[in-house]
Amino acid sequence: MQPLDPDEIRASFVNCSRGEAKSVTVPGDVPWADRDFLGWRDPKAPARAYLVLPYEGEVVGLALRAAPPARSRVRSNMCAFCSTTHSVSDITLFSGRRAGKLGREGNTLGTYACSNLACSRYLRGEIRPDIPQPHESLSLEERIARLEDKVHRFVARVLETS
C-alpha cells in the first residue's frame, strides 16, 4: 500500500460526515509496504474501527462500529477477509453505514473480521493466532490476492447505491 498522510486518510472516508472524519485518531508509524489495507481500532473509543485502502484508483476509507466481544472462548470463527481462524472472542462483527443516501437512511452492512484488523500481518506470519490454522496450499501472493478481493467486495457493497 502506498503511504498516506493523516489528511489523506481523513479525506478518504465515504460513509461518515466530514466532522466525524476530522475526529478520527490516525495511527502513526505504519509499515505501508507490508499492508494490503490500513485497518485499526480507535484507542480512545474501542468500539470505533476504520478501514482505508486503495480501491479502483482512489483511496477509500470506511468508518465502522465493532460489536461487543463474545464471551465464549470455546468456539472458533474465521475472518471474512484473511480466512484466519480465531477463537470467537478474537473475531468481531464490524458494521458500517452504507455510503450516500442509503447510509443517511440508516442502512448498514457488516462482516466478521480479525478483532485487531491485522489481516495483512496474519497472512505474512508477523503475528500468529492463538489456535492452530488449517493447512492452505495457496502461495502468499495468492492469499494476498484473495484478501484484497474480499476486502474490495465489502467496499463495493458499502458503496452500492441501490
Side-chain angles (χ1 to χ4, degrees):
M1 187 170 170
Q2 294 296 316
L4 301 170
D5 66 42
D7 291 334
E8 291 173 310
I9 292 170
R10 288 186 181 99
S12 72
F13 289 101
V14 296
N15 66 341
C16 65
S17 71
R18 287 186 193 163
E20 290 169 323
K22 197 173 192 177
S23 69
V24 169
T25 304
V26 178
D29 296 334
V30 175
W32 294 101
D34 296 332
R35 298 297 172 259
D36 308 294
F37 64 85
L38 177 60
W40 75 100
R41 303 272 297 257
D42 190 330
K44 296 178 184 174
R48 292 184 192 160
Y50 306 98
L51 193 66
V52 176
L53 65 143
Y55 178 79
E56 295 188 356
E58 298 180 32
V59 176
V60 173
L62 300 179
L64 305 170
R65 291 280 178 199
R71 297 179 191 255
S72 171
R73 293 194 64 87
V74 176
R75 295 178 294 152
S76 62
N77 206 342
M78 185 179 286
C79 173
F81 295 152
C82 67
S83 300
T84 300
T85 304
H86 293 279
S87 63
V88 76
S89 61
D90 291 331
I91 289 285
T92 299
L93 172 62
F94 291 100
S95 60
R97 284 187 299 212
R98 305 270 310 261
K101 182 178 181 245
L102 291 175
R104 289 188 296 277
E105 292 174 350
N107 290 299
T108 62
L109 285 173
T111 192
Y112 287 93
C114 300
S115 293
N116 57 6
L117 293 170
C119 300
S120 296
R121 296 181 70 202
Y122 286 115
L123 280 185
R124 288 169 174 79
E126 294 174 23
I127 56 177
R128 300 213 181 274
D130 292 337
I131 61 174
Q133 299 298 297
H135 173 72
E136 282 200 85
S137 59
L138 297 178
S139 68
L140 176 61
E141 292 77 23
E142 291 169 322
R143 291 188 314 232
I144 290 170
R146 179 182 63 194
L147 166 73
E148 290 173 347
D149 179 61
K150 288 180 176 187
V151 174
H152 283 201
R153 286 178 191 223
F154 180 70
V155 170
R157 289 180 54 219
V158 170
L159 295 175
E160 282 178 359
T161 57
S162 57

